[in-house]
């Protein structure tokens, strides 16, 4: 099992002078620590205009800085929005990061899931999948060919040589964002690694692993000429401390993260309110006061707890054959000190049990070769992206009023 860390670069209100500077510098320090401790991946999102939820519009800049402060950790776009970027600029930036990092770039792709992000770039929810798939077809020849051109519905690119070329040949490993669980199966069909930004149970993980690997082995439909990347990763809320109680006390950001997802998810097309009209941190604290039991239940989910508690949970995920668990502990107002201590404790007392897993390697080889035939599991019962212990928020009317 591989382990990654995940950054939305959240910054709840109230904002003070220097907060964004500290946010970025602390995150780079955390990546440096994770690299030293042997974590496998660092994933950074691309989002635009999402106040409090994500202050990460330029992951290529952040990852480039991280490439100079780390040695072995893989640096992942989790994800590059193909809908809000020109294909040639995507290919250029991915190649530059790969060169700067000595071949450690991971190329995750996605569409964006909110008209708040799409509309300023001239995109919409109805056509974003078409734009994504056309961008994929345009990008991949740029990594390997001396000259390419593309003439499509959304992009018209004359004959050019896109330089530089990436260090990894023919290109960095490919991933696709799966913001909705059924997209995991689609990622498999396209031959991409699945970046599952959900918070599911081990039972659900088992079902989706089967759906993903059955899709990539039996129903493969590549969008262009690229190397497939058979890997499935799932994000989990994370905070490791000496006791379960201490971990939950330090993991308030996990509940803020869930709250923000649910709050915005209640509005049509995930439209965000006008700038400055909603204080998400205040809304969250109001919800906590009114729902203390739900807050406590949410903190019992994910990988939040003592090393022993987390080991027990990870053993169930290992039995589901997840390839990578991505740990989310930079969330809400989780402190830099607690994040660093969590990374240290987890690496020392939890990771060694799971890092070398020849049984999983043999299982995966058997599945990909066709020796092992996986059951076709009905995933209908496992489509809740938030998990059984997740909070419930219904602020649709408030969001509509703010718009």
């Amino acid at each position: 099992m591989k382990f990654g860390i995940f950054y939305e670069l959240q910054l709840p209100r109230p904002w003070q002078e220097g907060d964004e500077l500290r946010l970025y510098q602390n995150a780079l320090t955390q990546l440096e620590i994770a690299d030293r401790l042997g974590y496998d991946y660092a994933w950074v999102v691309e989002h635009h205009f999402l106040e409090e939820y994500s202050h990460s519009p330029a992951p290529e800049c952040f990852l480039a800085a991280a490439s100079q402060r780390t040695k072995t950790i893989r640096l992942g776009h989790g994800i590059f929005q193909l809908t809000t970027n020109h294909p040639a600029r995507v290919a250029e930036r991915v190649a530059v990061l790969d060169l700067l990092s000595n071949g450690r770039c991971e190329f995750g792709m996605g569409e964006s899931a909110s008209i708040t992000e799409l509309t300023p770039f001239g995109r919409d929810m109805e056509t974003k999948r078409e734009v994504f798939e056309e961008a994929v077809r345009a990008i991949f020849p740029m990594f390997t060919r001396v000259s390419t051109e593309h003439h499509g519905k959304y992009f018209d690119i004359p004959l050019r040589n896109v330089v530089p070329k990436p260090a990894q040949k023919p290109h960095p490993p490919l991933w696709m964002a799966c913001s909705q669980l059924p997209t995991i199966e689609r990622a498999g069909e396209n031959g991409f690694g699945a970046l599952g930004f959900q918070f599911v149970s081990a039972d659900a993980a088992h079902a989706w692993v089967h759906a993903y690997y059955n899709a990539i082995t039996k129903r493969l439909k590549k969008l262009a000429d690229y190397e497939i990347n058979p890997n499935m990763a799932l994000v989990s809320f994370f905070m490791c401390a000496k006791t379960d109680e201490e971990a939950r006390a330090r993991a308030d950001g996990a509940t803020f993260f869930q709250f923000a997802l649910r709050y915005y998810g209640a509005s049509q097309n995930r439209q965000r309110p006008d700038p400055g009209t909603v204080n998400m941190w205040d809304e969250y604290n109001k919800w906590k006061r009114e729902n203390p039991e739900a807050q406590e239940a949410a903190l019992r989910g994910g990988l939040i707890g003592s090393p022993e508690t987390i080991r027990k949970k990870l053993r169930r995920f290992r039995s589901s054959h997840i390839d990578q668990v991505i740990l989310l502990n930079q969330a809400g107002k989780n402190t830099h000190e607690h994040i660093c201590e969590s990374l240290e404790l987890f690496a020392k007392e939890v990771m060694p049990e799971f890092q070398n897993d020849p049984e999983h390697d043999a299982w995966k080889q058997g599945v990909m070769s066709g020796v092992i035939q996986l059951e076709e599991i009905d995933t209908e019962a496992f489509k809740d992206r938030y998990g059984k212990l997740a909070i419930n928020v219904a602020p649709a009317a408030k969001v509509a009023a703010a718009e």
Side-chain angles (χ1 to χ4, degrees):
M1 185 181 290
K2 303 294 186 182
F3 292 100
I5 54 175
F6 175 53
Y7 286 85
E8 294 271 6
L9 294 172
Q10 295 201 323
L11 191 63
R13 286 183 170 89
W15 297 330
Q16 305 295 328
E17 187 69 29
D19 280 353
E20 287 179 321
L21 177 62
R22 281 186 291 275
L23 174 69
Y24 269 78
Q25 295 302 323
N26 286 345
L28 285 172
T29 298
Q30 293 157 24
L31 259 68
E32 198 170 358
I33 291 171
D35 179 60
R36 172 175 57 81
L37 294 170
Y39 287 82
D40 301 290
Y41 293 84
W43 297 99
V44 182
V45 304
E46 176 186 355
H47 279 310
H48 303 277
F49 321 118
L50 304 188
E51 295 181 313
E52 301 186 73
Y53 181 76
S54 176
H55 289 231
S56 181
E60 69 277 9
C61 296
F62 180 88
L63 291 169
S67 75
Q68 303 306 292
R69 294 177 56 167
T70 58
K71 295 179 180 178
T72 60
I73 196 168
R74 304 286 300 178
L75 302 173
H77 279 283
I79 48 77
F80 226 133
Q81 290 183 2
L82 301 193
T83 47
T84 61
N85 291 281
H86 190 278
R89 296 293 284 134
V90 173
E92 292 167 343
R93 293 169 185 173
V94 167
V96 168
L97 176 61
D98 205 41
L99 294 169
L100 289 173
S101 64
N102 287 309
R104 289 186 284 136
C105 175
E106 300 277 322
F107 181 19
M109 302 168 286
E111 301 172 358
S112 177
S114 166
I115 61 174
T116 296
E117 296 185 81
L118 291 167
T119 301
F121 296 99
R123 302 301 184 197
D124 55 51
M125 297 288 284
E126 291 71 30
T127 61
K128 68 188 182 80
R129 179 170 176 174
E130 287 183 20
V131 175
F132 172 88
E133 293 184 352
E134 184 178 326
V136 169
R137 290 190 289 270
I139 287 169
F140 284 95
M142 298 175 180
F143 287 136
T144 58
R145 298 182 191 172
V146 172
S147 58
T148 66
E149 59 185 320
H150 176 87
H151 306 287
K153 182 177 179 180
Y154 300 101
F155 302 103
D156 191 63
I157 307 169
L159 190 67
R160 294 292 187 274
N161 184 13
V162 176
V163 292
K165 305 301 184 189
Q168 299 176 88
K169 304 301 181 187
H171 49 70
L174 307 179
W175 301 78
M176 188 174 86
C178 303
S179 59
Q180 301 294 331
L181 284 165
T183 318
I184 290 175
E185 192 166 5
R186 179 181 150 202
E189 290 177 355
N190 292 160
F192 300 137
L195 285 173
F197 297 124
Q198 295 86 21
F199 314 97
V200 299
S201 66
D203 291 339
H206 175 77
W208 287 111
V209 165
H210 278 231
Y212 174 78
Y213 275 103
N214 278 329
I216 202 169
T217 56
K218 301 175 184 177
R219 296 181 282 276
L220 183 66
K221 300 174 186 175
K222 295 201 298 183
L223 299 176
D225 183 16
Y226 48 72
E227 293 286 329
I228 69 169
N229 178 33
N231 277 285
M232 184 169 166
L234 286 179
V235 171
S236 177
F237 297 120
F238 172 64
M239 183 62 72
C240 186
K242 292 180 181 179
T243 67
D244 291 347
E245 293 74 21
E246 186 176 12
R248 290 168 188 165
R250 293 180 170 193
D252 186 63
T255 325
F256 173 80
F257 191 99
Q258 291 184 64
F259 177 86
L261 277 178
R262 283 291 177 100
Y263 188 98
Y264 288 137
S267 59
Q268 185 176 9
N269 292 333
R270 298 184 188 174
Q271 170 72 47
R272 267 56 171 180
D274 290 337
T277 58
V278 170
N279 184 316
M280 184 57 57
W281 186 250
D282 284 351
E283 293 288 339
Y284 168 60
N285 280 288
K286 178 183 177 183
W287 175 87
K288 275 204 306 183
R289 291 191 296 270
E290 295 173 353
N291 300 274
E293 292 181 359
Q295 156 80 354
E296 292 176 10
L299 291 174
R300 292 196 298 270
L303 297 174
I304 296 172
S306 67
E308 180 56 30
T309 294
I310 293 177
R311 280 195 296 268
K312 290 177 181 177
K313 292 184 176 183
L314 276 176
R315 286 169 192 146
R316 294 198 63 205
F317 276 102
R318 180 170 59 188
S319 68
S320 301
H321 291 293
I322 293 294
D323 294 295
Q324 182 184 159
V325 173
I326 304 175
L327 306 168
L328 172 67
N329 66 352
Q330 193 287 312
K333 293 192 177 184
N334 289 358
T335 70
H336 174 59
E337 292 74 21
H338 291 165
I339 291 170
C340 293
E341 289 175 15
S342 179
L343 291 171
E344 293 266 8
L345 187 60
F346 181 85
K348 179 182 177 181
E349 298 194 20
V350 181
M351 274 189 357
E353 179 180 334
F354 301 92
Q355 284 180 303
N356 297 311
D357 191 351
E359 183 179 332
H360 173 73
D361 295 340
W363 174 88
K364 185 170 179 177
Q365 184 178 5
V367 169
M368 293 304 298
S369 67
V371 173
I372 297 175
Q373 294 290 317
L374 297 179
E375 177 189 0
E376 296 276 1
I377 297 176
D378 185 358
T379 56
E380 189 61 36
F382 303 106
K383 290 187 176 179
D384 181 1
R385 66 178 298 208
Y386 300 100
K388 295 178 180 178
L389 297 177
I391 65 176
N392 186 29
V393 179
K398 296 181 182 178
V399 175
E403 292 165 17

